[in-house]
Amino acid sequence: MCCLCTFIFPSLVQGKKTNEIRSGEIWPDNHGVHINAHGGGVLYYNGRYYWYGENKSDTTSSAMVGIMCYSSSNLSDWKKESVALPVITDDASSDIVKGCIMERPKVIYNKKTKRFVMWFHLELKGKGYAAARSAVAVSDTPEGPFKYIRSERINPRKLPFDMTDEQRAILDTLDANKYKQWWTPMWYEAISKGLFVKRDLQGGQMARDMQLFVDDDGKAYHIYSSEDNLTLQIAELSEDYLSHTGKYIRIAPAGHNEAPAIFKRNGEYWMITSGCTGWEPNEARMFSAPSIWGPWKKHPNPCRGPKSEITFGGQSTYVLPVVGKKDAFIFMADIWCPKHPSNARYIWLPIQFEDGIPYIEWLDSWSLDFFDKKK
Ligand code: DGJ
């Protein structure tokens, strides 16, 4: 068992019944092998769900294989489809050369171009987490192979569109030389006001943990931890979803949020995030807004019950709307296992609502009819 799983859920039993979802356990694919699609997201297309995620090896979290794709009609039985975007092994100058870092891939379908667009967090081989780039790839079929296009920082030379003249004037006066010492109250205040937005203005904004969201009108948005993981940003994607339009906002400045997962219910946007503690679990956070452009309001931790203060040992990765069921959303999270990355486990739990506010409880075992019983 994975280091974290043994610690958190010592009494897990193997062997699942049909359609059962058992978080924290080994999830065999159609070959009986534990699904290797971490930090992932799910796309519904033409009657099937496609699960994309990071392939993790036994010894390193760097990308040795690439981005995986599995498919299912019932969200319980998963067929291994392909390595949707393989790492490059014969060109050391490629952004996605074997040994780089490819994290949190998400795929969306563009109805106008009829193409599948993948974005993921890319770090260049041997450079740790310094590059903080976003990478994009495209395919004509959900299982790929995806064609790699490019990687980049986001929206160079653009300030958040909702910054007031007054806020811009303050940003102009921020002098990086005055804030060389990190984590002081003064430094936090300067971060809030956009110290790192200004620092990264020419080259573009940093983006690490990320999410994609397609709204009802077909517009797509990229949500990512920016500014050295201190501030979330939401940026609009172009009509073909292959680039950014330059329009973006900042959320929870200096709030240290990672792992954003977003969904929409009754016109309200909800976002669940984590704090920043590397591979260690921490307490989830939740935000809501009446529009994708905010204002985003913070709520208490949506998780309830034992281990809720560490998100049941996991870190959010996606919220999956179940097709054909009203108000049916699955909270997806990863129980990381840094000492044996491929042994990381998945948490899938139903999102429940009380007075319209989402909450999540641990369930050892559940199936999709849980959503029908709740009605
Ligand atoms: C936490 C992030 O959420 C993960 O995707 C990964 O980047 C780790 N940090 C690396 O420590």
Side-chain angles (χ1 to χ4, degrees), residues 39 54 56 61 101 103-104 121 129 208-210 225 229 258-259 274-280 315-316 334 336:
E54 306 157 23
K56 294 237 181 248
S61 276
I101 293 174
E103 287 184 350
R104 298 185 177 267
H121 164 205
Y129 278 83
R208 293 197 182 115
D209 281 10
M210 57 147 281
S225 301
N229 288 352
E258 278 192 323
S274 74
C276 295
T277 49
W279 301 111
E280 294 300 317
Q315 186 184 27
S316 42
D334 298 281
W336 300 117

Side-chain angles (χ1 to χ4, degrees), residues 8 100-103 120 122-123 139 153 156 187-188 280 285 303 326-327 347 368:
I8 295 163
C100 70
I101 293 174
M102 297 161 96
E103 287 184 350
F120 60 96
L122 176 82
E123 296 292 350
S139 168
R153 288 276 184 99
W187 175 88
Y188 266 111
E280 294 300 317
R285 295 103 181 264
C303 300
K326 193 175 180 306
D327 287 344
I347 294 177
L368 295 186

Side-chain angles (χ1 to χ4, degrees), residues 287-321:
F287 301 83
S288 72
S291 147
I292 193 83
W293 299 128
W296 287 88
K297 168 182 152 190
K298 193 166 182 200
H299 296 264
N301 175 10
C303 300
R304 291 185 183 177
K307 309 287 181 199
S308 58
E309 73 288 358
I310 52 165
T311 318
F312 315 113
Q315 186 184 27
S316 42
T317 184
Y318 194 70
V319 172
L320 164 58

Side-chain angles (χ1 to χ4, degrees), residues 50-208:
Y50 293 85
W51 177 358
Y52 303 88
E54 306 157 23
N55 178 294
K56 294 237 181 248
S57 80
D58 295 345
T59 53
T60 171
S61 276
S62 296
M64 308 310 278
V65 172
I67 305 299
M68 304 301 295
C69 174
Y70 294 79
S71 82
S72 171
S73 59
N74 61 8
L75 292 176
S76 177
D77 302 307
W78 290 94
K79 175 182 174 221
K80 182 177 174 183
E81 288 287 351
S82 57
V83 181
L85 179 66
V87 293
I88 299 294
T89 51
D90 58 1
D91 176 5
S93 68
S94 166
D95 291 354
I96 56 166
V97 67
K98 186 174 178 180
C100 70
I101 293 174
M102 297 161 96
E103 287 184 350
R104 298 185 177 267
K106 305 290 176 297
V107 174
I108 50 181
Y109 177 64
N110 188 303
K111 284 187 183 154
K112 286 189 189 148
T113 63
K114 300 196 174 15
R115 298 176 99 191
F116 298 83
V117 179
M118 174 192 289
W119 284 89
F120 60 96
H121 164 205
L122 176 82
E123 296 292 350
L124 301 174
K125 184 177 178 181
K127 307 274 183 207
Y129 278 83
R133 290 195 197 175
S134 299
V136 59
V138 69
S139 168
D140 292 330
T141 55
E143 66 280 1
F146 280 74
K147 185 175 172 298
Y148 180 72
I149 303 179
R150 65 176 189 285
S151 73
E152 62 197 7
R153 288 276 184 99
I154 297 178
N155 288 329
R157 294 172 298 285
K158 298 282 182 200
L159 286 173
F161 85 94
D162 59 344
M163 254 194 173
T164 62
D165 290 346
E166 196 186 337
Q167 287 168 331
R168 281 172 195 236
I170 292 172
L171 188 101
D172 281 345
T173 65
L174 289 176
D175 175 1
N177 291 318
K178 289 193 190 146
Y179 306 101
K180 288 202 168 134
Q181 201 188 336
W182 285 39
W183 316 118
T184 66
M186 248 176 63
W187 175 88
Y188 266 111
E189 200 187 323
I191 294 293
S192 281
K193 291 175 177 165
L195 185 67
F196 286 176
V197 173
K198 183 174 179 180
R199 179 195 67 186
D200 296 333
L201 200 55
Q202 287 311 310
Q205 300 297 307
M206 298 176 107
R208 293 197 182 115

